Amino acid sequence: MINITDKAIEEKIPPILRLGFRPFFLLGSIYAIIAVVIWVWAFQTGQPAYLQVPALWWHVHEMLFGFSMAIVAGFVLSAVQNWTGVKGTSNKRLGFIVLLWLLPRVLFWTPSPLWLTSSIEALFILAIAYEVGFRVIKTKGVRNFFFIPLFLVAIAANFASYATIKGMPPFTSAAVWESMLWWFTLLLSVMGARVIPFFTARRFQFEKAQPILWLDALCNIPLAMLFILSFFPLTSEQVSPYLMIIAGVAQLIRMIRWKGYKTLSEPLVWSLHAGYLCIPLSLLLRGFSTDYFISHTGIHLFAIGALGGVILAMIARVTMGHTGREIYKGPSMWVAYSAIILAAFIRSFGVIAFPEYMLDMINIAAILWTIAFGLFIWHFAPMLWSKRVDGHPG
């Protein structure tokens, strides 16, 4: 990174715009709290007067395309620099991409037409695809080609999501949401398998578990099939449970090989394993269940525990590393990691076991989620808007 960046030019760039993780981790974490608080309020009081879309649609869309996609953007826009050796997106160019993300979050609360909001959001995802894609193609980084079609699929899903509000496509909003949950599950599965065993083995000084091709296939191919089946509900009803069970068992076997049981002394590592564990648990819960309420509620085990949990652990780790700090000498975050996993279990297993207390469970889970991301903001926001402590660019 030092060799591909002119330090004199870098010093003129505001620290918050020097690399993608800085603005997107900060804004994404703040929005994680705002979006959940608004949803819990709307769920219990009704449709907000100024919100131009249905509250439930807004909740799911914003947790996926708002919060989660912001973190993904921050991660890949920073990581692609390490993958390719080509300087990452920064300064005004990065600021423009941040603006493309921020505008739809605001426009939902104005009379702006949905075609405008959806187009801006699509441009945001397209910008990420371009910034990653041209670097990967330029350096022939075959291993990371899959990001390009992955983001293009997300653009199509984004437009489809908006279209369902008007009843235009031959499928429902739920189909699009389901497909994007599988999109994120597949992304976590691929990226988790790359980084979690590597971080674990490196921290605890043992040989990293080498990938097994057939096991990775059993983990990922069913997820890709589930993404497609989201748009074919009759077939999905018959086939999806078996795919979930296959993927869930394979994910568990693969996780055992990563030796997460050796990581309990290091919160920054066990948090990754704990969050990732929610993937196979949610797959098996939904795969074996024949009850719609249980299956639907089980989605939150993934959405909060896996997606939120892995995100929280990764953004803490990436922030430490990319701001020039020693990764394992940062702020104590075990309370935050524990809170988000507990939130996932309460919102899923707690609601399933005690449905009569659902509102209380939702409130408790929202408070725990807020504590988790609030602690991240408290400890890491100053790192994100300040220069690297080692004086290096980035």
Side-chain angles (χ1 to χ4, degrees):
M1 181 173 171
I2 299 171
N3 297 328
I4 60 176
T5 304
D6 187 323
K7 192 174 180 180
I9 295 176
E10 186 83 1
E11 286 296 322
K12 297 177 182 179
I13 303 172
I16 193 68
L17 293 178
R18 291 185 182 180
L19 210 53
F21 77 96
R22 290 177 174 274
F24 280 115
F25 286 5
L26 179 59
L27 292 175
S29 298
I30 293 171
Y31 195 59
I33 296 174
I34 293 172
V36 163
V37 170
I38 290 176
W39 164 243
V40 170
W41 168 69
F43 182 69
Q44 299 181 33
T45 62
Q47 176 75 20
Y50 293 101
L51 183 59
Q52 301 303 307
V53 294
L56 177 59
W57 185 96
W58 177 85
H59 166 58
V60 181
H61 184 273
E62 289 305 89
M63 295 314 294
L64 296 174
F65 287 98
F67 158 63
S68 300
M69 196 63 77
I71 303 301
V72 170
F75 178 79
V76 296
L77 289 177
S78 303
V80 72
Q81 181 171 265
N82 295 331
W83 297 338
T84 64
V86 179
K87 188 182 182 309
T89 311
S90 64
N91 208 7
K92 294 178 181 179
R93 190 166 178 153
L94 176 58
F96 178 69
I97 297 175
V98 172
L99 181 63
L100 290 177
W101 173 82
L102 187 61
L103 278 174
R105 317 288 71 87
V106 176
L107 292 178
F108 281 128
W109 299 87
T110 72
S112 302
L114 288 183
W115 67 262
L116 176 61
T117 307
S118 62
S119 298
I120 294 172
E121 193 149 44
L123 284 175
F124 161 65
I125 303 173
L126 183 62
I128 304 170
Y130 174 78
E131 293 297 319
V132 173
F134 94 80
R135 289 173 172 84
V136 168
I137 292 171
K138 180 178 180 179
T139 57
K140 297 181 174 62
V142 179
R143 191 184 184 198
N144 297 303
F145 275 175
F146 88 101
F147 279 106
I148 302 171
L150 196 68
F151 283 118
L152 295 180
V153 165
I155 292 172
N158 172 68
F159 278 125
S161 178
Y162 282 89
T164 59
I165 297 177
K166 303 294 185 181
M168 294 169 62
F171 45 80
T172 63
S173 297
V176 181
W177 300 336
E178 183 84 5
S179 71
M180 283 306 296
L181 283 168
W182 294 126
W183 187 94
F184 279 106
T185 307
L186 181 60
L187 180 64
L188 285 185
S189 180
V190 172
M191 296 308 298
R194 287 190 189 183
V195 302
I196 296 176
F198 172 74
F199 291 158
T200 303
R202 188 172 184 181
R203 175 58 173 160
F204 292 94
Q205 300 298 307
F206 59 77
E207 187 176 351
K208 180 177 80 74
Q210 296 304 312
I212 300 175
L213 185 59
W214 65 264
L215 186 58
D216 285 343
L218 288 177
C219 287
N220 297 327
I221 292 176
L223 299 179
M225 294 174 67
L226 286 163
F227 173 88
I228 296 170
L229 286 173
S230 299
F231 300 100
F232 302 94
L234 295 180
T235 305
S236 177
E237 185 177 347
Q238 301 298 320
V239 178
S240 291
Y242 298 102
L243 294 174
M244 292 181 197
I245 292 170
I246 291 169
V249 171
Q251 293 276 359
L252 272 180
I253 294 171
R254 188 169 68 170
M255 277 202 71
I256 291 171
R257 299 184 66 245
W258 297 346
K259 301 180 181 178
Y261 54 86
K262 293 187 175 183
T263 68
L264 297 181
S265 62
E266 180 52 71
L268 200 51
V269 182
W270 68 247
S271 57
L272 287 170
H273 288 267
Y276 195 92
L277 180 61
C278 292
I279 294 179
L281 290 182
S282 63
L283 285 167
L284 294 174
L285 175 64
R286 298 182 66 199
F288 281 114
S289 173
T290 57
D291 185 284
Y292 174 79
F293 177 75
I294 293 176
S295 180
H296 173 73
T297 303
I299 290 174
H300 295 88
L301 185 58
F302 168 78
I304 299 174
L307 193 54
V310 173
I311 279 176
L312 185 63
M314 281 300 301
I315 61 178
R317 184 186 183 92
V318 170
T319 299
M320 290 294 295
H322 279 281
T323 57
R325 292 168 168 85
E326 293 187 51
I327 291 174
Y328 296 107
K329 293 186 178 180
S332 176
M333 286 284 287
W334 70 268
V335 172
Y337 304 142
S338 302
I340 204 160
I341 299 301
L342 185 57
F345 275 68
I346 289 174
R347 182 60 183 86
S348 53
F349 293 120
V351 172
I352 291 170
F354 306 101
E356 66 272 23
Y357 297 107
M358 182 174 71
L359 290 180
D360 296 323
M361 298 285 185
I362 290 175
N363 288 336
I364 293 170
I367 291 170
L368 290 168
W369 172 278
T370 300
I371 289 171
F373 281 96
L375 285 171
F376 174 82
I377 295 167
W378 176 263
H379 289 300
F380 290 89
M383 303 182 195
L384 293 169
W385 66 52
S386 303
K387 299 178 182 179
R388 286 177 61 114
V389 294
D390 58 8
H392 292 163

